[in-house]
Amino acid sequence: MEVAILFAVVVGLMLIGVPIAVSLGMASILFLLALGDTSLASIAQTFFQAMAGHYTLLAIPFFILASGFMSTGGVARRIIRFSVALVGHVPGGLAIAGVFACMMFAALSGSSPATVVAIGSIVIAGMHQAGYTKDFAAGVIANAGTLGILIPPSIVMVVYASSVDVSVGRMFLAGVLPGLLAGSMLMITIYIMARVKNLPKGDWQGWDEVAASVLDAAFGLVLIVIILGGIYGGIFTPTEAAAVACVYAFFAALMIYRDMGPLQGKGWLRESEQRAFGLGLRVVAFAIIGFLLHVSLGKAGVYPAGWGLAVAIAWVLVCLATGWAMTHFAAQRSRVAWPVIVVLGAVPGVIFAYWTMISIFHGLSEFASGSMLAFASTGLLALVAAVFLFAATVAPAIIFTFSLHGAAREGEATGFGVSLLGGAKAMGRGVIEAIIYLPAAVVHKDTRKTLFESGKLTVTLMFIIANALILKHVLTDEQIPQHIASAMLSAGFGPIMFLVIVNVILLIGGQFMEPSGLLVIVAPLVFPIAIELGIDPIHLGIIMVVNMEIGMITPPVGLNLFVTSGVANMPMMSVVRAALPFLAVLFVFLILITYVPWISTVLPNAMMGPELIVK
């Protein structure tokens, strides 16, 4: 009865227009004062302890700041260029490219609204100019933007992991396959609609443009490798990964891309040098980065003793030879390109893929013994991992070769030696400029603005979480989770019915509350019941995140709807109607995620072992 009064006060405050965070905190404090044996001093202590015990939440401000630098620093524009170059030529290509760009930017930002703003502000206008209706464009981006909280790193996943004390690393791994599946389902839906409605498609721009565009976006996409590679390589924790990502994003935006800060407008190559020295700069950049990478791999023990330096020198020679061949065999550049790709990419890719497939299959075969479905799933995982590794090995070779191919074609009038010397001078000049202007970049108005905007968002989000944690403290003290668990178990509810109830609660709550605050309240309530019913806590977390995705595009408080409405300059109800067809796809996706736990658990279990739960 007392808890019913608490929730009635929360709902009543929200109905009269009190902000959600204040409603949660005020109702909890009034409850503690009126019905609990406590004082204002103990409430202050409760407020402090609610935050002090969740150190993982420190990752949130760092991820927000990294996202701020990536959004402001022009990375979104480069990602969109790459997406259009890759898939823009298929029916509905620009819309599919928008979804693909959202998937990639989601892996940088961890935020759904940030993804909608960064990608939608460019893609929606571009789709409208290309002949798509504005409603269709807004519906695509509003739904695709929700992938920002599903594809790791995700701020909402950090909140869930902190609320129920599970591994953030496991949650990030668990979001990879569902994120790819959700994005693929949206892209397939768009393709089918494009075929039926005869939607516009672009022209294939060639591998030169694909290589140039991915190279242009590479320093932004490296952030994904830093975050996920650093976590799963054991280099740093998720919180440390967020801090490192923040520092890297600052340097990428202000020193490498130079789309903001004191070096804005000063490219590594000046306008008059673009064609003449483009090939040389690429050769020098590839040679230096590859040399340092191979030397580092040698010191890390990846290569046999003493081989790291030899491989690094061999790589520099390959870069020089490829650049020279692209210049001297102008009429046969394509014949030069494909053998290089085979030697550098295809052959090592086949070897690595085969070794990986055999290792995964043998490593997981004991877990799959006795079950034909588990055995088939293990084989499928090994095959998918092998294909992915092959593609990941071949892709850099294609990018390397065709970026030199395109640069050599643009600078045909310049000899290789002259281009190489000019590229080396441009590289040296760019490094010196970065060092000289670094102090000014730290205090520049663009940096201050990004810090201020990220700080406002952090304060808003952490205030909601902090007040939700007070409510969680009240519910825990009243033993509400235990009462709910015993009631549901005594009523004979099994895992299927329990997950139906969880989905309904979250879908309704997601219409009215911000995802992080809702998770902080609901996750501790349902977590003990899920454990009693044998539901994997990582699987439960992904289910909750997908529900939060849907909540962000359902009225009246769907945040993505408001953001898309502002970006597209459309009425709110028009955005709601535009999002409905794709919302149906996300509901089908939710059913898949809810009742096929393998999609969420296979990667964490394969890479980190089975989850151990101590009741």
Side-chain angles (χ1 to χ4, degrees), residues 93-359:
L94 192 53
I96 295 173
V99 175
F100 190 53
C102 284
M103 293 171 68
M104 287 189 287
F105 195 82
L108 302 177
S109 68
S111 166
S112 184
T115 303
V116 172
V117 171
I119 303 299
S121 57
I122 301 172
V123 169
I124 292 176
M127 287 178 66
H128 188 49
Q129 290 175 359
Y132 296 83
T133 65
K134 206 170 186 181
D135 287 359
F136 182 81
V140 167
I141 297 302
N143 282 268
T146 62
L147 298 172
I149 62 173
L150 181 60
I151 294 177
S154 163
I155 293 172
V156 174
M157 287 184 186
V158 172
V159 173
Y160 172 81
S162 176
S163 300
V164 297
D165 293 323
V166 298
S167 165
V168 176
R170 281 185 175 276
M171 284 299 301
F172 283 179
L173 267 180
V176 173
L177 284 183
L180 295 176
L181 178 59
S184 301
M185 289 174 67
L186 287 172
M187 288 190 284
I188 291 170
T189 303
I190 292 169
Y191 180 78
I192 294 171
M193 294 174 70
R195 299 291 277 186
V196 172
K197 297 182 177 182
N198 196 27
L199 295 177
K201 65 176 182 178
D203 297 323
W204 169 245
Q205 300 175 44
W207 287 108
D208 285 0
E209 171 60 17
V210 173
S213 60
V214 73
L215 193 64
D216 196 26
F219 287 101
L221 298 177
V222 161
L223 190 62
I224 304 171
V225 179
I226 291 175
I227 295 172
L228 301 183
I231 293 172
Y232 302 117
I235 301 174
F236 32 65
T237 67
T239 305
E240 292 166 347
V244 171
C246 186
V247 175
Y248 175 81
F250 167 79
F251 278 99
L254 280 84
M255 298 294 147
I256 299 175
Y257 285 136
R258 304 182 177 187
D259 290 316
M260 57 186 293
L263 290 172
Q264 185 175 5
K266 295 182 179 180
W268 290 74
L269 286 174
R270 303 301 186 246
E271 190 172 347
S272 60
E273 302 170 341
Q274 293 284 346
R275 289 182 175 273
F277 301 152
L279 175 64
L281 181 63
R282 283 173 170 82
V283 170
V284 171
F286 278 125
I288 293 174
I289 294 172
F291 182 87
L292 295 175
L293 176 63
H294 288 299
V295 169
S296 301
L297 291 175
K299 290 183 178 180
V302 175
Y303 297 132
W307 278 49
L309 183 59
V311 173
I313 293 173
W315 168 254
V316 173
L317 295 176
V318 167
C319 291
L320 294 172
T322 306
W324 176 85
M326 290 293 178
T327 304
H328 285 265
F329 300 102
Q332 297 177 313
R333 287 195 187 107
S334 295
R335 292 186 179 182
V336 172
W338 290 109
V340 173
I341 291 170
V342 170
V343 173
L344 293 182
V347 173
V350 169
I351 296 171
F352 293 154
Y354 177 78
W355 177 80
T356 301
M357 184 169 62
I358 297 301
S359 300

Side-chain angles (χ1 to χ4, degrees), residues 18 174 196-197 215 277 433 457 498-499 546 555 595:
V18 178
V196 172
K197 297 182 177 182
L215 193 64
F277 301 152
E433 285 176 343
L457 184 56
F498 167 72
L499 290 176
V546 174
Y595 295 112

